[in-house]
Amino acid sequence: MTADTTGKRYRGSATAERRALRRQQLIDAATEVYGEHGYRHSGVKQVCEAAGLTQRYFYESFNHSDELLLACYEQATRRLRERNLAAAKAAGDDPVARSRAMLGSYFQALKDEPNVARLLLVEIRGISPAVDQAIEDALRASTHDMTLALAKPGQQFDRMLQAGILGGVIHIALYWMASGYAQPVEVVTETTLKIGAALLQ
């Protein structure tokens, strides 16, 4: 391989890395902008200004705002799932302790990052079929996580019951958010655990 060829390869790699970095800047900025102002009230220009980038870099990574919203949502759900599963694993083998740890992790994350919470639970509905599909995928992934963390070896939970529990968790979260996170995380966790207990009976 010649020096010129090697140089082109490294320059190409550096270009790809810079592009990936700009894409991540846009995702991080959009998560904050959409969470604070609402997706429907936020434009490309606003997101780019928050990211410190010009609009041409937006179209380098995304065709339109819905694609960026989808990237924000997928990143936020992935990080939240990883955090919740880590909390369950650290709680030991008892299913109740694991359930409490997962719920506590979930609610603490919503309180720590209210803009992410609004993005995940408020701003995301009814945007496009692709975004709605991403929501369904995330709910299925959460159902899988619930089984992975709480089920005994070989045990399968009632999927309808799991769907009801997930819906209850989300509605409690929305109620809590609307109250301005008035109740302590521990209280919200213990209240929600009463619903989750149905799965462990």
Side-chain angles (χ1 to χ4, degrees), residues 38-60:
Y39 172 72
R40 294 168 180 83
H41 301 289
S42 305
V44 170
K45 184 174 183 292
Q46 194 173 357
V47 170
C48 289
E49 288 177 350
L53 297 170
T54 62
Q55 292 187 50
R56 79 180 182 91
Y57 288 121
F58 174 91
Y59 295 103
E60 173 188 69

Side-chain angles (χ1 to χ4, degrees), residues 2-66:
T2 66
D4 183 60
T5 303
T6 301
K8 287 181 180 178
R9 181 168 61 84
Y10 285 128
R11 285 196 296 273
S13 177
T15 298
E17 288 175 1
R18 287 195 297 271
R19 181 172 180 171
L21 177 60
R22 288 192 293 266
R23 186 178 190 277
Q24 188 61 52
Q25 285 177 258
L26 288 165
I27 292 172
D28 292 341
T31 298
E32 293 302 314
V33 170
Y34 296 160
E36 182 176 354
H37 302 288
Y39 172 72
R40 294 168 180 83
H41 301 289
S42 305
V44 170
K45 184 174 183 292
Q46 194 173 357
V47 170
C48 289
E49 288 177 350
L53 297 170
T54 62
Q55 292 187 50
R56 79 180 182 91
Y57 288 121
F58 174 91
Y59 295 103
E60 173 188 69
S61 295
F62 304 100
N63 291 318
H64 47 74
S65 292
D66 287 7

Side-chain angles (χ1 to χ4, degrees), residues 112-187:
D112 288 345
E113 299 184 89
N115 285 344
V116 174
R118 185 178 175 189
L119 172 74
L120 287 172
L121 299 179
V122 178
E123 294 301 322
I124 199 69
R125 290 285 180 182
I127 300 298
S128 71
V131 176
D132 288 344
Q133 184 60 55
I135 296 171
E136 293 303 314
D137 291 344
L139 290 173
R140 279 195 294 271
S142 295
T143 298
H144 175 266
D145 291 347
M146 194 186 299
T147 301
L148 183 66
L150 305 178
K152 298 175 183 177
Q155 181 183 13
Q156 290 294 326
F157 292 134
D158 184 323
R159 289 190 177 275
M160 187 178 294
L161 179 58
Q162 284 182 290
I165 290 171
L166 282 174
V169 171
I170 290 170
H171 280 286
I172 287 175
L174 288 168
Y175 177 88
W176 186 47
M177 289 164 61
S179 76
Y181 303 96
Q183 298 84 2
V185 169
E186 294 76 15
V187 172

Side-chain angles (χ1 to χ4, degrees), residues 85-99 101-102 148-151:
L85 283 173
K89 184 177 181 179
D93 296 328
D94 178 64
V96 175
R98 281 182 165 239
S99 183
M102 290 184 79
L148 183 66
L150 305 178

